[in-house]
Amino acid sequence: MPFFEIQVLVMNMYALSDALFCIPVDVHTADLFEGIWTIPNGVSLNTYLVKGEKTALIDLIQDHPPAASEQVQAALKSVGVDFAALDYLILNHLEPDHTGWLREFREKNPRAEIIATQKGVNVIKSFYTIDTGLRAVKDGETLDLGNGKMLTFFEVPNIHWPETMVTWDASSGTLFSCDAFGSFGALNGRLFDDEFSETELLFFEKETLRYYANIVASFSSFVEKGIQKLSALNIACICPSHGIVWRKNVKTILDRYLRYASYGKGQGEKEIALVWGSMYGNTKKGLDALIKGIEAEGVPYSTHRVPDDDISYILTSVFKSAGLVLAMPTYEYAMFPPMAYAIDIFRRKHIQGKTVLRIGSWGWSGGAQKEYDAAVAQFKWNNLEPFEWTGVPAPQDLAVLEDRGRSLARIVKEG
Ligand code: FEO
């Protein structure tokens, strides 16, 4: 049973050079990535082939319909490589989106040595009950494929699983970076950054940030360490396991990742994410007044309603923004349940450093604020004085809220 059901799967073969190739698989599915994150624009799963005297495949794809396996074999054959004769399978990371068909691979190619970190080898044994033909490589270890193709492995733990490594081809300056620098979004017949229009690149920029916020955010200190570790390499091309291959604007994606890592450590853009829920419109009325104040200060903002908006996008906006508004009513003497869920996701993703204003209405005795205070007590947030009102906000409440919006916007602007 695949970890998600593929509805449409498209595969192509691209040459990065006469010795390096990419087989990106576009996956379109109604299922959720990792069982949590929506991918309405699909996602690509990129496998790479390195040809020296010997051949190595880098990363696989998830479990899939049998036709995909046949497509991979056909793609390899098109560049003169017999799938069954592959010498090595390098697994930078063992998450099943890149290893789901490992058992099938092993059955069809019993000779290839499977290479991973020691932690990766342990996962291969426990997840796939494969015990032979495995090689654990250490940080900095090399693999000579012949014909000048010498691969080097660098451990980058927790980007984003503990066993993760990247593979470096010094002869071409190519970094096979695994999930790092990847994005959601199907490639739809192109691969390289210089093949996409500005509009398309903007789309992938958003999908890269969303991928980072959803998948990598908790490990931002490791991202910084990993990039620092790789800084001595003269990188000409970045080949992630999802999304665009970067060969023209390598610095762009490196800088972008460092910026995302800074969000993960508590910095943010001078923007405000407003996450709100309202049962009968009273909290929404208060939110609208608050927005008037924010607009008066000219600070950019985004709004997300819970539970209507997807948590994947909510998390991304919150991750990126220096300011945060959480607007919700009391519901059965406690927080509005969809907001409680969103806040729990923020906790699990270690969202920190935000300047936060919580507002909302209540009917009888309140209770949301008490539960909220307990929920965020351990968060590294700058919590501004909250504001609540009973029922419909009175004109004086709306005036206070507009003023609070101004104050929050000023803090964000000047922060
Ligand atoms: Fe794309 Fe963490 O696997």
Side-chain angles (χ1 to χ4, degrees):
M1 182 72 181
F3 81 97
F4 58 49
E5 293 287 345
I6 296 170
Q7 294 186 341
V8 183
L9 187 149
V10 184
M11 190 175 300
N12 293 299
M13 180 76 156
Y14 297 84
L16 284 72
S17 70
D18 58 1
L20 302 178
F21 301 87
C22 179
I23 311 168
V25 176
D26 273 353
V27 172
H28 295 275
T29 177
D31 277 1
L32 303 173
F33 195 83
E34 289 191 336
I36 307 175
W37 315 111
T38 185
I39 44 173
N41 303 297
V43 64
S44 75
L45 306 171
N46 301 344
T47 292
Y48 296 94
L49 169 69
V50 185
K51 282 174 72 178
E53 288 168 10
K54 295 187 173 180
T55 51
L57 214 55
I58 301 177
D59 295 333
L60 291 177
I61 55 176
Q62 65 189 67
D63 200 0
H64 52 74
S69 168
E70 289 162 15
Q71 288 184 64
V72 170
Q73 292 177 62
L76 293 175
K77 198 172 178 183
S78 72
V79 292
V81 174
D82 177 5
F83 178 84
L86 281 165
D87 297 292
Y88 301 102
L89 172 63
I90 297 165
L91 296 176
N92 282 327
H93 168 41
L94 269 295
E95 191 161 11
D97 53 335
H98 309 295
T99 58
W101 65 305
L102 184 55
R103 282 203 63 81
E104 184 185 337
F105 175 94
R106 174 47 93 211
E107 284 161 16
K108 292 186 171 165
N109 180 333
R111 68 184 297 278
E113 193 168 36
I114 302 174
I115 293 174
T117 60
Q118 181 59 61
K119 284 193 173 92
V121 165
N122 296 345
V123 174
I124 293 169
K125 291 177 180 175
S126 61
F127 273 41
Y128 297 102
T129 58
I130 294 171
D131 292 307
T132 58
L134 306 177
R135 187 202 297 191
V137 288
K138 292 188 171 60
D139 188 44
E141 196 168 327
T142 57
L143 176 71
D144 190 354
L145 297 179
N147 278 346
K149 278 289 166 228
M150 179 79 80
L151 301 179
T152 308
F153 307 107
F154 294 108
E155 292 189 23
V156 287
N158 297 320
I159 312 176
H160 64 115
W161 275 18
E163 89 298 358
T164 309
M165 67 178 189
V166 295
T167 299
W168 169 242
D169 172 29
S171 68
S172 64
T174 303
L175 181 71
F176 300 97
S177 62
C178 194
D179 283 338
F181 314 115
S183 73
F184 292 132
L187 293 167
N188 296 316
R190 279 163 293 169
L191 180 66
F192 300 101
D193 56 344
D194 49 73
E195 295 182 302
F196 294 92
S197 68
E198 287 303 312
T199 303
E200 290 166 330
L201 288 172
L202 188 59
F203 162 81
F204 278 107
E205 180 177 356
K206 289 177 180 172
E207 287 292 78
T208 304
L209 174 61
R210 190 165 71 90
Y211 182 90
Y212 188 104
N214 292 181
I215 310 294
V216 188
S218 294
F219 307 101
S220 292
S221 59
F222 291 94
V223 170
E224 282 190 342
K225 280 183 203 157
I227 291 177
Q228 176 62 33
K229 181 175 188 171
L230 302 174
S231 63
L233 306 179
N234 187 17
I235 301 174
C237 184
I238 291 182
C239 296
S241 55
H242 304 284
I244 293 174
V245 167
W246 296 84
R247 66 180 178 186
K248 185 181 178 192
N249 295 303
V250 168
K251 189 172 183 309
T252 297
I253 188 66
L254 285 169
D255 289 348
R256 208 169 273 169
Y257 242 61
L258 284 171
R259 184 154 45 86
Y260 299 164
S262 78
Y263 299 160
K265 294 178 73 179
Q267 294 178 27
E269 300 296 330
K270 293 184 177 183
E271 299 174 11
I272 300 170
L274 299 106
V275 186
W276 66 280
S278 190
M279 294 165 64
Y280 296 107
N282 293 322
T283 292
K284 177 65 164 55
K285 286 190 178 86
L287 181 77
D288 289 343
L290 193 85
I291 288 173
K292 274 176 73 178
I294 293 171
E295 288 180 341
E297 292 295 326
V299 172
Y301 65 91
S302 59
T303 58
H304 296 281
R305 185 176 188 178
V306 291
D308 308 51
D309 288 3
D310 194 280
I311 192 66
S312 171
Y313 292 92
I314 295 172
L315 176 61
T316 305
S317 288
V318 170
F319 179 66
K320 177 190 178 197
S321 304
L324 173 60
V325 172
L326 298 172
M328 67 175 137
T330 287
Y331 183 94
E332 295 182 353
Y333 311 105
M335 286 197 283
F336 188 54
M339 187 68 82
Y341 169 70
I343 289 171
D344 187 55
I345 291 291
F346 303 156
R347 177 183 65 79
R348 291 170 189 275
K349 291 296 178 182
H350 303 91
I351 298 297
Q352 56 182 305
K354 309 300 175 192
T355 296
V356 186
L357 174 61
R358 190 256 140 183
I359 64 167
S361 68
W362 53 270
W364 290 275
S365 64
Q369 188 62 40
K370 185 178 177 186
E371 188 189 10
Y372 170 83
D373 288 340
V376 305
Q378 302 303 318
F379 287 29
K380 294 174 182 170
W381 283 359
N382 172 26
N383 282 298
L384 304 180
E385 184 186 354
F387 186 77
E388 290 189 301
W389 62 93
T390 312
V392 179
Q396 59 268 32
D397 295 324
L398 296 174
V400 170
L401 284 159
E402 185 173 336
D403 191 53
R404 291 296 183 87
R406 279 180 181 275
S407 299
L408 171 62
R410 280 193 210 111
I411 291 170
V412 168
K413 200 159 52 171
E414 293 161 8

